[in-house]
Amino acid sequence: MRAFVLLVALAAVASSAPPAERRREFVQAVEFPYYLYPHDLWERELVWLKTIGVRTVEFSIPWNWHQLRPDEFDFTGRTSPRRDLAGFIRELRKLGLQAWVRPLPPVEGLVNRGWPPSGEDGRAQQRVWLTQLEDLLATQTAQHGGPVAYVEGAPLAIDAAPPPTPVTVVSTTDAGALARSRDAMIAADGSLLWQGVEETVYPEGWEANTSRLIRAGAVDLNGHERPSTHALRRDAALLHNWLRLLPTLVPAAAPKPLTGKLPAGVTAAERISPAASVVSVTNRGSQTFHGDLRVEETGSRRTLVIPQITVEPGESLWLPVDVSLGAEGLCRECSNFSAAEHIVYATAELLAVEYENGILAMEFAAPQPGEVILQLAREPVGPFLAAGKPTKFDWDDKTLRARLPIPANTAPGNHVRIGLAMEAPETSAFFNDAKRLIIGRKNLVSTTYSSPAVAARSRLRLPEGFTATSDLKTPNEIEYQVDVPSTSLHGDWADFAIEADGMPLGRARLQLFRPVSIRMSEAIGLHFGPNTELPLDPPTAAIDPKAGRNLEIILRNNSPQIQTYHVEASGDSLEFFPAKTEISIGGMMERPVSLRVFARDGDSGVRNFNLRVRGGADADVPIRLVLVPRGHTVAWEADLDNDGSPEWILESAKVRAVFSTQDGGRWMEFTWKDTEADFLPEGGALVGTGPVSVRASGDELEITGRNWKRTVRLSDATLTIEQSTPLPPALAAETRGNVKMTAAAESPSRARYTLAQQQESDANPSSPQH
């Protein structure tokens, strides 16, 4: 269906322009289904995608998710934070990311595949839907400075093109992802779409497969990367600079080994252009490939031998050949090199080239040691630094070629940076130890110049929206007070440059941080099976109202300077010791603030309090407390996953059980609180269809569906479930760590589940018995 819709849209485009006139283009995009991801985590993950080099985000806009009823839609999050499509587009715009939009179903995995309930006039409904999207997106296209660059599969009346075809879809969970993606890249035409990057959680009641709430991904819900991000990271870093050159590449003769044939499973292809050429070598075999390849030189069409290429099984290398050192190559601002100066070849992947203050810097992805050969017009003055260490290099006076070693790096991404001093600069300028900027604050950025005359002619080039005032500290030093817009996103990067006489003399790429980061050590999460945990917003902790509890609040000072913070906690019917405190924290360091909290009335239920931070930062953090008296069970309600549908929670001092108001009252979590071990499978249990009503009374919940009723009671660590219709088979007993769950089916409609901490000898049967 997806392919059919795309072909229809492309046919319409093709009918108005001859195929020969189609401009070659290549796009790499990552699928980001915003409606499957908690709203408060959008910023974190979009910033991460931009940081690793991704430029385009692809997403569907599910019709049935945004349509509340015919002719009524929610695009601002008033009924669910995940429906805030307008806010999602604003975040893309702030980050400078492109959007690839799919405005019509199907949306795989979503209930009814994204289609609204069938009506009598489907075409009229669709026109209303598309008109709503046109009103929202028309001013957000790339032509208007917005993020929407591509629209797939629907005739929206906005100035956005369809994505380039063919579209190669690659999953990060595919063991051959790197090889498949490199095949698409070397074709240098079309689109490469990555799926399965983010682990996602369906809004309850909206999953097509009711047994599946979590969709696996390479990055979990807490932002931790799994090894399967390797291929995406490699490609994103590579395409950050190569992307604009791909459409200029045309096929050349296939590279061949000096003798014989390439081993089974090893493939090689070459694409050439006047500015930069590339050889792609992919090893799908089971043995390491190590050998020399004969390739074609771009201008002369003579044979060039690239020696000692090593490609491990499952790996792929993108080797540069005849890459200009001028601005037409990878370095857009390199104007100090002649047309004849170039990179002859490298046996590691070339990611970037920079030149400033007489230093030629190159960044590689090098899983194995390699080398790069430079054709130059003059002998470099040196020194040569590889991975930050002074290193020897070979220089041939006759051929004017430099041979530079590239050390290997086995860390994620395999990044290695080398630098060679080409000449002593006549003029120079530097940023003095600039590392980070604080959002919404004035930041001191200091610069140094080779002479007062250069300082007088210089200017600071700022990102859009930033402002700065200058102060001449000495004839050779200028300090700038840089204002970072308060709308900037935490973790994003800003590029600065010093210019004089129209020439760039120095660059700095600075990361942006909010003034302070705050977290609570005792915060709980929503568990999906044994391995997946979703952080809650607001942070939530359970306390005994009379005995109280110590809460550890961690403050991280993101500023480079020491900051003093005034911390105050306040909430209805709550007492804090101390209620106010002051703490000083060193630059880029963190310290805990310990608060003892009690409930004045000794009641149970949910209480909200506000943590107010002033001084070194201005922040107000809402925190949720659940008051659980000793020996009692508390029933409370909250939208834990921020999908617009609340959950009901039964909580004792030892155990927490969570139930959905969708999916037939799905039992989502059964957790031993001391270790936060969840004993339910990832999809939960007691899964049905449709919404339910829930009534809480003391230590029990009464869950009512269509023609059935369920009573759930939690006493200490035992959960009893009784239903008016037969229950499914009881879950199997299970042990996790030193906690065991036992299950007893007392009748077809009644079951009892108990969690108990075992003694060490019980948990380890091999232990000696006494």
Side-chain angles (χ1 to χ4, degrees), residues 614-627:
R614 295 292 184 267
D618 292 323
D620 290 277
V621 180
I623 297 178
R624 180 168 52 205
L625 297 179
V626 183
L627 310 185

Side-chain angles (χ1 to χ4, degrees), residues 25 28 74 142 176 185 209 275 346 404 437 486 533 633 709 727 764:
E25 186 180 6
Q28 177 182 240
D74 180 6
M185 289 165 55
N209 180 356
L404 312 177
L437 299 174
S486 59
E533 181 180 358
T633 295
K709 182 180 293 185
L727 290 166
N764 183 7

Side-chain angles (χ1 to χ4, degrees), residues 711-715 718-722 746 750-753:
T711 301
V712 182
R713 180 179 295 108
L714 178 62
S715 177
T718 297
L719 188 76
T720 304
I721 302 172
E722 191 166 5
E746 299 177 339
R750 181 182 172 91
R752 187 175 69 249
Y753 295 90

Side-chain angles (χ1 to χ4, degrees), residues 542-561:
I543 71 166
D544 184 319
K546 290 186 176 179
R549 180 176 182 176
N550 283 331
L551 298 179
E552 187 177 70
I553 309 296
I554 309 296
L555 274 65
R556 177 173 180 82
N557 173 19
N558 291 322
S559 169
Q561 296 86 28

